[in-house]
Amino acid sequence: SKNEGRRSKVFLRKGPKLPAWEDALLSGKEPKSLLKRGLRYVSVSLIMKGMTSTPDFLWGLPEVQKLNLSCNQLVVIPPSLGKLDRLVVLNLGGNCLKRLPKEIGLLRNLKVLFVNMNCLTEVPAELSLCRKLEVLSLSHNCISQLPLSFTDLTSLRKLNLSNNCFVQIPLCVFALRSLDFLHLGSNRLENIAESVQYLVNLQIFIIENNNIRTLPRSLCFITNLELLNVNYNAIQTLPDDLYLLRRLPRIAWNPIDKGLHIAHNPLSRPLPEVVEGGLDVLFNYLREKK
């Protein structure tokens, strides 16, 4: 009857609101209606949709340049990802991914990749084929090594490997001469190799919350450093040449401040008192000691 039809329509309207992409497909709209054309990128955003798998229509949108699938429950990203070869920005953060498809190497225009807060134990060597990559976050995973082929990521400027299982800094990292930001906090590092000196453009270096006992002398030759965070380690002494890091503005206490962060280390005397006097006092002490 007409009344029953009206009641069913009312019931449907009062039901739970469908995610935008499901609503678009069920209403017969073109998936392309989900594309947002901004000033810089053609984008699709499917954040916090509770998805356990990626909708197939995505792989039929080759014009997408920015794709955000963060904060879902995705377990797998299919090989079809490689079809989106115009992607510049890809955000897969906050999912349940255990691996990335090797087809990610087909994304030759990719500049920014977030895969933080997942369950990765390794990274595919094919990612090194994304030669335009500038920003890579792999933080909060279970990764303990990187492929040697990562040396090919010569455009990489910002690398976040924090909250993983690294026992040492991967050798390939020292070949990334364009890096200006490197975060290795909350790993299992016990030392820093002398090869760190090759990261000549590094401005921010965070290695807090590890098991590092000493800082290498070669670290003092990265004279572009503006923030060096070695909080919460096992450091007892400091290299005499630390005063060469003239761009460090202060002894810093606020995590976001530039400067030398060296709190919560078992510094041998008289270093604790010297550090309390500030950076100039510390540098003068090390210079005279030398």
Side-chain angles (χ1 to χ4, degrees):
S1 68
K2 289 183 180 180
N3 287 338
E4 286 175 351
R6 289 195 192 99
R7 278 199 298 272
S8 64
K9 286 180 183 177
V10 170
F11 175 79
L12 283 173
R13 280 201 293 270
K14 288 183 178 179
K17 189 176 181 182
L18 290 168
W21 63 273
E22 287 187 12
D23 190 36
L25 294 183
L26 289 174
S27 63
K29 292 181 182 177
E30 269 284 318
K32 289 187 178 183
S33 66
L34 293 169
L35 293 173
K36 305 293 182 184
R37 299 183 183 274
L39 293 175
R40 295 186 66 187
Y41 301 125
V42 177
S43 64
V44 170
S45 180
L46 298 173
I47 307 173
M48 297 179 68
K49 302 298 183 186
M51 299 186 300
T52 55
S53 61
T54 50
D56 288 340
F57 73 80
L58 274 181
W59 320 124
L61 301 174
E63 59 267 67
V64 176
Q65 295 170 288
K66 184 176 181 180
L67 176 60
N68 193 338
L69 299 175
S70 64
C71 302
N72 282 287
Q73 299 167 36
L74 301 175
V75 178
V76 173
I77 298 295
S80 303
L81 174 68
K83 295 179 180 179
L84 304 184
D85 56 5
R86 296 186 195 175
L87 274 183
V88 178
V89 180
L90 175 59
N91 191 342
L92 300 172
N95 281 286
C96 307
L97 302 175
K98 293 184 178 180
R99 62 182 62 86
L100 293 173
K102 63 182 181 180
E103 286 78 10
I104 198 167
L106 298 174
L107 308 182
R108 304 298 171 87
N109 291 302
L110 198 63
K111 290 185 177 181
V112 178
L113 174 61
F114 291 99
V115 205
N116 51 301
M117 293 187 287
N118 276 279
C119 306
L120 300 181
T121 56
E122 60 183 9
V123 184
E126 288 79 7
L127 183 57
S128 61
L129 297 173
C130 301
R131 304 290 170 81
K132 294 182 180 180
L133 200 61
E134 296 179 6
V135 178
L136 174 60
S137 178
L138 296 168
S139 72
H140 294 83
N141 279 284
C142 304
I143 305 167
S144 59
Q145 56 186 358
L146 295 178
L148 281 175
S149 59
F150 264 43
T151 56
D152 294 332
L153 295 176
T154 54
S155 298
L156 200 62
R157 295 186 299 106
K158 303 186 188 306
L159 177 60
N160 191 340
L161 300 174
S162 65
N163 292 273
N164 275 287
C165 304
F166 291 101
V167 176
Q168 59 185 11
I169 301 176
L171 287 175
C172 59
V173 170
F174 300 129
L176 305 176
R177 307 294 168 83
S178 297
L179 280 185
D180 57 40
F181 174 97
L182 177 59
H183 195 339
L184 276 154
S186 299
N187 276 281
R188 302 171 185 172
L189 303 178
E190 295 186 355
N191 59 66
I192 302 170
E194 294 284 349
S195 302
V196 72
Q197 66 184 309
Y198 298 123
L199 301 179
V200 293
N201 291 303
L202 206 56
Q203 297 175 28
I204 296 176
F205 188 24
I206 303 172
I207 43 176
E208 65 177 346
N209 197 27
N210 279 285
N211 302 309
I212 297 166
R213 297 175 182 275
T214 59
L215 299 178
R217 181 171 179 264
S218 62
L219 180 65
C220 306
F221 304 139
I222 310 178
T223 54
N224 283 315
L225 274 179
E226 298 177 0
L227 189 157
L228 174 60
N229 189 337
V230 295
N231 286 344
Y232 294 98
N233 275 284
I235 298 168
Q236 296 183 12
T237 61
L238 296 174
D240 293 344
D241 291 320
L242 197 67
Y243 67 86
L244 295 174
L245 301 179
R246 296 186 181 90
R247 293 199 180 185
L248 294 178
R250 63 180 73 85
I251 299 289
W253 303 100
N254 189 317
I256 64 172
D257 283 349
K258 291 182 178 180
L260 175 62
H261 299 252
I262 198 167
H264 305 286
N265 280 283
L267 295 173
S268 59
R269 292 186 178 278
L271 282 175
E273 293 80 8
V274 174
V275 167
E276 285 185 10
L279 196 64
D280 289 339
V281 173
L282 174 62
F283 281 0
N284 286 334
Y285 168 78
L286 293 172
R287 193 183 291 110
E288 291 170 6
K289 181 171 173 281
K290 185 181 178 184

